Amino acid sequence: MEWRNIYRGLLIGATDLIPGVSGGTLAIMLGIYDRLLEAISGFFSREWKRHIGFLIPLAVGMGTALILLSRLIKYLLAHHYEPTQFFFVGLIIGIVPFLLKQSDAKRNFSKRHIIMMLVAVVLAASLAFLPTDNSAEPITSLSFLTILGLFFSGWLASMAMLLPGISGSFVLLLLGVYPTAIHALSELNVPLIATIGAGVIIGFIVSSKGIRYLLSHYSHTTYAVIIGLIFGSVAVVFPGFPSHIETIAVSAVTFVAGLSLALAFGSRTRP
């Protein structure tokens, strides 16, 4: 068992609770993105035993974070929104140098890759202008239609979770399911968690195989798109400039903290 994956799972799980922040981005920062895709895809194959030691501690960490930190995340977003978001802005920006180095962009990226990167920036940034409903009443009971809706919402969100630059929580927010997911986690509503979780698992399987294929056969193009998505996601996470001097000061500190943390992880991770 790779027990250090518990703390990695805690970090990824906490990140997946934040609308606009991608767990896939953090997996890259932690240096386990390729391994994560391989393990999820391989777990549902004949070689499943080889991946248990990697996935189980990671899943334990993620599940623990989702359950224990859901209330903390609600508190931070409600009472310290700007500093929290600026921390993640710094985290996102700080991972870009590592990705440029890992993809050897200076040597491998042509004009075509630059254009695709810019398109990805625009597509990701445009999510910031889509209307979201974070005030909807959470679903507390299940019917056939709500089961289908929550299942496919979890499916779509999990595909976004694995793709760096796109947040699974933000997808849930766009679909109007985010309040339900947070409420279910904070209140341990098992039927709701199981319904959304089933969709998440299916989405992980499908998207992991697709992203692995793209990285294997179209590596430079995929990296260009990923970098573009990460750049563009800054527009989704950016909360605007604070109006009070105290909030500006705290936000500056949290931004530098997030940036420094990402740069430190990137420098320790071998491309």
Side-chain angles (χ1 to χ4, degrees):
M1 290 289 177
E2 298 184 35
W3 295 115
R4 62 180 177 174
N5 273 358
I6 291 181
Y7 93 84
R8 291 168 169 167
L10 286 169
L11 292 173
I12 294 174
T15 302
D16 280 329
L17 287 169
I18 307 292
V21 183
S22 168
T25 301
L26 196 65
I28 290 176
M29 190 185 79
L30 295 171
I32 62 169
Y33 186 66
D34 291 341
R35 180 77 189 281
L36 177 63
L37 295 178
E38 178 188 1
I40 293 175
S41 180
F43 184 73
F44 299 92
S45 68
R46 295 178 180 178
E47 300 180 349
W48 61 273
K49 291 183 180 180
R50 185 163 64 89
H51 303 289
I52 286 181
F54 177 87
L55 285 175
I56 288 181
L58 193 71
V60 168
M62 290 179 66
T64 301
L66 291 173
I67 293 173
L68 296 183
L69 299 181
S70 56
R71 293 186 179 182
L72 174 62
I73 295 301
K74 286 175 66 176
Y75 172 81
L76 289 175
L77 291 177
H79 300 283
H80 305 283
Y81 180 72
E82 288 93 347
T84 301
Q85 293 297 93
F86 269 104
F87 174 81
F88 286 105
V89 169
L91 202 64
I92 291 169
I93 293 174
I95 193 60
V96 172
F98 169 74
L99 281 175
L100 292 172
K101 184 178 180 181
Q102 179 165 295
S103 61
D104 199 0
K106 186 179 292 186
R107 186 175 65 179
N108 295 325
F109 283 11
S110 64
K111 290 183 180 179
R112 176 172 61 88
H113 296 111
I114 300 300
I115 291 173
M116 296 192 71
M117 185 190 301
L118 293 175
V119 170
V121 170
V122 173
L123 288 175
S126 66
L127 294 176
F129 301 98
L130 293 178
T132 59
D133 185 8
N134 198 21
S135 61
E137 287 296 318
I139 297 171
T140 56
S141 59
L142 293 173
S143 65
F144 178 73
L145 289 179
T146 56
I147 288 174
L148 285 179
L150 293 176
F151 175 84
F152 284 107
S153 296
W155 183 326
L156 292 173
S158 69
M159 295 177 71
M161 288 176 197
L162 280 183
L163 192 61
I166 301 180
S167 164
S169 293
F170 190 73
V171 170
L172 291 178
L173 198 60
L174 291 175
L175 297 173
V177 178
Y178 183 72
T180 296
I182 289 295
H183 178 79
L185 288 169
S186 61
E187 300 299 326
L188 285 180
N189 188 317
V190 175
L192 287 173
I193 293 173
T195 302
I196 299 173
V200 168
I201 292 172
I202 298 298
F204 274 157
I205 298 170
V206 174
S207 55
S208 63
K209 292 181 181 295
I211 297 172
R212 280 195 73 202
Y213 176 83
L214 291 174
L215 284 171
S216 298
H217 294 82
Y218 306 97
S219 177
H220 303 328
T221 300
T222 304
Y223 268 116
V225 171
I226 286 175
I227 292 170
L229 290 174
I230 290 176
F231 263 125
S233 69
V234 172
V236 178
V237 182
F238 181 66
F241 292 104
S243 56
H244 301 290
I245 187 65
E246 297 86 355
T247 308
I248 293 174
V250 175
S251 297
V253 171
T254 57
F255 171 79
V256 172
L259 182 66
S260 301
L261 183 63
L263 292 174
F265 272 107
S267 64
R268 295 177 184 178
T269 305
R270 295 181 61 184

